[in-house]
Amino acid sequence: MQMQPDLIAEARRQSEICNACRYCEGYCSVFPALHRERAFSDGDITQLANLCHNCRGCYYACQYTAPHEFDLNLPKALAEVRQDSWKAHAWPAGFGNLFDRSGVLIAAGLVLGFALIFALAQGLRPASGEGFYASMSHGLMVAIFAPAFLLPLAAIAVSLRDYWRTVGGQGVTLSDVGAAMRSAGRMKNLEGGHGDGCNFEDEDRFSQARRHFHQAVLYGFLLCFASTSSGTLLHYVFGMEAPYGFFSLPKLLGVPGGLLLCLGTAGLAWLKTKADPNLGAPSAWGGEMAFVALLFVVAASGLALYAASGTGSVGWLLQLHLGAVLTFFLLTPYSKMAHGFYRMAALAKDASDQRLRQG
């Protein structure tokens, strides 16, 4: 699928004006990368778009926004290219458009549909088992979720390979990957270049709120992933099967992770209702909110399931949670979740470009 040339052309026009002005050079990684170029290929614009974190500080500082004849709105121009790049590189082709058009309906329908399937699967529950395994066998969970986790990762890998070719990516070193991870971990590009934050939700006030909520989502997700991974190791390596007590590694990682995910997703959803949608990609607003809501449901249902341990609510909470998790996995290559992979690739390429220029 080809990217839309009119979106690329508009982002190129605005980038060329920004390149002549250079007022925003210290705001984020976009502007040093932009100012290193004299002409912008389609791949250059795609890279800049995925490097942009949409903090919007440059827009509120710009003297060439409407009603000026230049009519600059770089956050929107790059957001639209960024969204289009995820759709264009999505694999299998054509799936990328679905979630933006009807994200809420697709996510809700899949969660409820999968929950119903898991409810029907109760007829296959084992004769014995503890905790969750009293409702569904470990083998059945693995048979369902292993391919649902691995196949979307394969789709993401194919998409990123195509993206890397488009932006002219070269070989990266461990130092490049490390620099990208440090930038993502700090949410460096949401600091505003001066450490005071950005203007995402309020034109007249710098705020660290979006940065902190993003960090809560990132670290909450990583803790939950570590929790699942530790449970897998305990099960297969040490022969220790669930359920695990509160002071076990899966719970000590998973409970704080779930709480951070709930806090972060709720905060980001709240900020999106306060922010000007015309400084992003307006057509993708519903899909982005649907993704945030889905991630919140995954975390909240997991916490509720743990809190309900030993009660009669475990059965239907397990069905809801598994339905939400399965939906999240399957939609990863085509929802806002894909932006994390593309953002890391863009940050790694930016680090690589700086290293090669200095060397």
Side-chain angles (χ1 to χ4, degrees):
M1 178 179 173
Q2 296 294 318
M3 294 183 64
Q4 298 183 53
D6 55 330
L7 298 180
I8 293 280
E10 176 58 19
R12 180 183 291 115
R13 179 189 75 85
Q14 297 197 32
S15 296
E16 289 171 350
I17 296 172
C18 291
N19 205 8
C21 174
R22 302 200 169 203
Y23 179 80
C24 298
E25 187 164 7
Y27 275 45
C28 68
S29 296
V30 169
F31 293 98
L34 186 153
H35 297 152
R36 289 195 295 265
E37 306 295 337
R38 295 192 176 183
F40 301 98
S41 67
D42 289 3
D44 293 332
I45 295 298
T46 302
Q47 164 67 6
L48 291 173
N50 282 280
L51 201 56
C52 173
H53 288 55
N54 197 233
C55 78
R56 308 175 179 200
C58 62
Y59 175 85
Y60 291 120
C62 183
Q63 59 187 319
Y64 298 124
T65 58
H68 192 280
E69 60 181 324
F70 287 167
D71 191 22
L72 291 195
N73 186 344
L74 191 64
K76 179 180 180 180
L78 293 182
E80 291 185 328
V81 171
R82 183 166 58 252
Q83 290 282 342
D84 193 49
S85 73
W86 304 340
K87 299 173 189 175
H89 296 296
W91 184 85
F95 279 26
N97 287 315
L98 296 177
F99 198 71
D100 278 350
R101 287 201 302 263
S102 306
V104 175
L105 289 176
I106 290 174
L110 286 176
V111 169
L112 294 176
F114 288 139
L116 178 59
I117 292 173
F118 286 122
L120 296 175
Q122 293 292 304
L124 302 175
R125 64 180 178 270
S128 62
E130 294 185 56
F132 308 150
Y133 299 149
S135 298
M136 186 174 297
S137 71
H138 177 81
L140 180 59
M141 288 189 187
V142 171
I144 293 172
F145 284 94
F149 175 71
L150 295 175
L151 292 178
L153 283 184
I156 284 285
V158 173
S159 303
L160 287 179
R161 183 186 62 180
D162 194 28
Y163 168 80
W164 197 251
R165 290 172 177 170
T166 297
V167 301
Q170 303 181 49
V172 294
T173 64
L174 286 177
S175 65
D176 299 331
V177 175
M181 293 178 68
R182 287 191 297 273
S183 178
R186 287 176 50 203
M187 295 293 167
K188 176 184 175 183
N189 287 284
L190 294 178
E191 291 180 343
H194 38 65
D196 295 326
C198 60
N199 311 83
F200 182 83
E201 71 273 17
D202 191 337
E203 172 183 355
D204 300 320
R205 181 175 64 87
F206 292 104
S207 169
Q208 300 281 4
R210 186 163 178 255
R211 179 186 176 208
H212 291 158
F213 285 136
H214 265 98
Q215 287 176 317
V217 171
L218 172 63
Y219 291 115
F221 183 84
L222 291 176
L223 283 171
C224 289
F225 183 77
S227 171
T228 302
S229 300
S230 65
T232 302
L233 288 175
L234 289 176
H235 184 96
Y236 288 105
V237 178
F238 298 99
M240 300 170 60
E241 298 185 0
Y244 303 110
F246 180 79
F247 292 103
S248 64
L249 198 55
K251 291 296 187 292
L252 291 175
L253 293 170
V255 172
L259 291 172
L260 282 174
L261 266 180
C262 286
L263 173 65
T265 51
L268 289 177
W270 171 66
L271 289 182
K272 285 186 73 66
T273 64
K274 293 169 63 66
D276 183 352
N278 196 47
L279 299 186
S283 63
W285 194 92
E288 291 178 351
M289 286 294 280
F291 164 74
V292 172
L294 174 61
L295 198 50
F296 177 85
V297 170
V298 169
S301 61
L303 290 172
L305 183 59
Y306 174 60
S309 296
T311 72
S313 302
V314 167
W316 67 267
L317 281 172
L318 179 63
Q319 297 154 21
L320 175 63
H321 179 63
L322 293 181
V325 172
L326 186 56
T327 299
F328 172 76
F329 282 167
L330 294 178
L331 291 180
T332 288
Y334 318 109
S335 69
K336 184 67 182 289
M337 185 62 186
H339 92 285
F341 297 92
Y342 283 87
R343 182 67 46 72
M344 283 298 298
L347 289 169
K349 182 183 185 300
D350 187 58
S352 174
D353 290 346
Q354 293 184 57
R355 174 178 53 81
L356 291 173
R357 287 177 179 273
Q358 292 170 359

